[in-house]
Amino acid sequence: MRKKVWMTIAVVTIFIGLFSVNVLVNARSENPTVKVTNLKKMEISHKIMISGTLKLAEEQTIYYNPEKGDVDEILVKEGDDVVQGTPLFTYKNSQLLLEQKQNKLQQESADMELNSLQKQLNNVNNLLKEDKENEELKNERNQLELQVKQANIEIEKLKLEKEAIAGKIADLNAKSTINGKVVEINEDAAAVSNQMGSKPFIRIGSLNQMIVEGLISEYDSLRIQEGQTVTLKSEVVPDQIWTGKVNYISYLPNETNTDSEVNGGNGSVQYPIEIAVDNGNIGLKPGFQLIVEIETEKYKANSLPVTTVQQENNQNYVYIVKDGIVERREVTVRITSGDRIEIKEGITLSDQVIVNPDDTVTEGMEVNVK
């Protein structure tokens, strides 16, 4: 009888144990499973993103000047390669040619006048050699010497006038000041003589070197330095990436009023920046809008995937799993680099941090770690 009782107790105990294990397994199987990660020391880079306009690094723009006359002949066509000093077009100015002829005649007349006065002076000097005390001859000599000086001054003035006219005539031949390609000839600009400089007549650019011009904020102007690496992208050609370097940051700002209402009536302050494109002719036309990414910092730091960090009331936090229980930990973050974010403090290297927690994850709940 006693043996049967002990056997019954043993069976019941085994049954209860199996039941408890089954309940525990079922309970664990009902807990949500989460994916976790740990802090990892990885390279962090901080980038500033702005928009910029692609331009030719070296460009010559010539406007039609009606004061020089009418366009006589265009000596190049669009697409021509030119070097410094290549004639581009000529003006025709009849008035300048007339002034040149008049100057030549005036010079000949002045030379003749000077020669005549010089002969008269020589004759008087010869007479004075024979009659040194003749006051009348002395007065005549003094008068002739003064006239000779005046004639010489007049000749010098005519020579200066000749040089000035020659310079103006030389300016009638427009020449290239750079090596490059003729990118635009706008003959209509020469037809509208009463709108001087309304649009370029001829433009020449060096296609082997491009620049990007943009604007940066006053805060970013303190973090960006000349020579920093730049990545360039275009929404028009999304699969292409080009590189460059910060070539120039203006010491003086441009002031705009685009944010005047937002900033309480004060215009935003922005600084012009110029970037030299490393790739030379990148296949895009001047005027294209580019996305400019400027790397300002690069270092190694503890980081997590950005999907681990949550925010509430301007406070950043993560969920960690400790002994199967979810805990919320406030963290101090710095900058985001790609899909990772730098963690300054709040957790340790051993903490298991939940990746991309959904709304069902709360502090104190039991979870299974994947």
Side-chain angles (χ1 to χ4, degrees):
M1 181 70 178
R2 182 175 296 178
K3 185 177 181 181
K4 289 183 178 180
V5 171
W6 282 108
M7 289 181 62
T8 301
I9 292 172
V11 170
V12 171
T13 301
I14 294 171
F15 177 79
I16 292 173
L18 292 173
F19 179 77
S20 299
V21 170
N22 187 55
V23 169
L24 181 61
V25 170
N26 288 335
R28 285 186 174 275
S29 64
E30 292 176 358
N31 292 335
T33 300
V34 294
K35 182 179 179 181
V36 296
T37 187
N38 303 94
L39 281 176
K40 292 182 180 178
K41 190 172 287 292
M42 300 184 68
E43 189 173 79
I44 297 292
S45 62
H46 183 250
K47 296 180 180 179
I48 295 170
M49 185 177 296
I50 63 170
S51 63
T53 303
L54 186 66
K55 295 186 176 182
L56 298 172
E58 192 174 21
E59 184 177 4
Q60 179 186 5
T61 302
I62 302 175
Y63 291 89
Y64 169 63
N65 186 351
E67 293 181 358
K68 292 185 176 182
D70 298 326
V71 174
D72 184 29
E73 184 180 8
I74 299 175
L75 306 173
V76 293
K77 59 182 182 297
E78 287 186 7
D80 282 354
D81 292 316
V82 296
V83 297
Q84 185 176 0
T86 299
L88 304 175
F89 69 95
T90 59
Y91 287 98
K92 182 178 181 180
N93 193 316
S94 301
Q95 180 62 33
L96 276 179
L97 296 177
L98 178 60
E99 290 178 9
Q100 188 180 48
K101 291 180 180 179
Q102 289 176 339
N103 176 265
K104 183 179 180 180
L105 292 174
Q106 288 172 341
Q107 279 189 309
E108 291 176 354
S109 176
D111 288 338
M112 291 173 60
E113 177 70 16
L114 178 61
N115 290 334
S116 175
L117 290 171
Q118 193 65 56
K119 287 180 180 180
Q120 295 178 50
L121 180 60
N122 291 338
N123 290 333
V124 170
N125 285 331
N126 290 331
L127 292 173
L128 278 171
K129 289 178 181 180
E130 298 176 0
D131 188 4
K132 296 181 179 180
E133 302 302 325
N134 190 322
E135 293 296 329
E136 184 176 346
L137 288 175
K138 288 181 180 180
N139 291 333
E140 185 177 355
R141 181 191 62 186
N142 292 338
Q143 184 66 30
L144 287 170
E145 286 178 345
L146 179 61
Q147 291 178 338
V148 167
K149 288 183 180 180
Q150 291 175 338
N152 280 319
I153 292 173
E154 182 64 24
I155 289 173
E156 290 300 319
K157 288 173 60 177
L158 290 171
K159 287 180 179 179
L160 293 175
E161 185 179 320
K162 176 184 178 182
E163 292 177 2
I165 294 173
K168 291 180 181 180
I169 292 177
D171 284 343
L172 299 181
N173 302 312
K175 298 180 180 181
S176 172
T177 59
I178 63 173
N179 299 333
K181 186 182 291 291
V182 179
V183 295
E184 180 183 12
I185 297 178
N186 195 345
E187 296 188 35
D188 293 338
V192 188
S193 60
N194 61 341
Q195 295 182 5
M196 176 180 173
S198 59
K199 51 186 176 180
F201 179 38
I202 291 182
R203 291 176 62 195
I204 299 171
S206 175
L207 303 182
N208 295 324
Q209 181 61 61
M210 310 287 278
I211 60 171
V212 178
E213 292 184 349
L215 295 171
I216 57 176
S217 69
E218 52 189 334
Y219 175 69
D220 289 339
S221 70
L222 300 177
R223 297 191 292 165
I224 300 175
Q225 303 294 327
E226 292 182 4
Q228 284 182 306
T229 302
V230 177
T231 300
L232 303 168
K233 301 177 183 178
S234 170
E235 293 182 352
V236 179
V237 193
D239 57 336
Q240 291 287 326
I241 296 178
W242 304 274
T243 60
K245 286 183 174 59
V246 177
N247 192 40
Y248 167 76
I249 302 172
S250 175
Y251 186 77
L252 298 175
N254 281 350
E255 293 186 5
T256 62
N257 295 318
T258 54
D259 299 325
S260 57
E261 295 182 1
V262 177
N263 296 328
N266 295 322
S268 61
V269 178
Q270 295 179 309
Y271 290 80
I273 185 172
E274 180 184 292
I275 295 144
V277 182
D278 292 336
N279 309 74
N281 187 1
I282 62 177
L284 301 181
K285 295 181 178 180
F288 267 58
Q289 296 299 303
L290 297 179
I291 301 169
V292 181
E293 293 181 357
I294 306 173
E295 186 176 84
T296 59
E297 295 179 84
K298 182 182 286 187
Y299 55 92
K300 287 192 174 181
N302 291 327
S303 66
L304 288 172
V306 292
T307 56
T308 62
V309 180
Q310 310 296 305
Q311 189 176 64
E312 183 179 23
N313 297 326
N314 295 324
Q315 178 60 55
N316 297 295
Y317 65 91
V318 297
Y319 287 116
I320 70 166
V321 179
K322 187 173 182 180
D323 299 329
I325 305 299
V326 174
E327 293 184 11
R328 172 171 161 164
R329 295 279 183 86
E330 293 184 353
V331 293
T332 302
V333 302
R334 190 164 181 260
I335 61 175
T336 301
S337 178
D339 60 353
R340 299 192 70 83
I341 186 169
E342 180 182 356
I343 307 297
K344 295 292 291 182
E345 57 184 21
I347 58 174
T348 65
L349 294 173
S350 61
D351 286 331
Q352 294 182 310
V353 184
I354 298 178
V355 178
N356 197 22
D358 57 28
D359 294 337
T360 63
V361 176
T362 58
E363 187 173 22
M365 71 182 299
E366 296 182 11
V367 294
N368 297 323
V369 173
K370 183 177 180 181

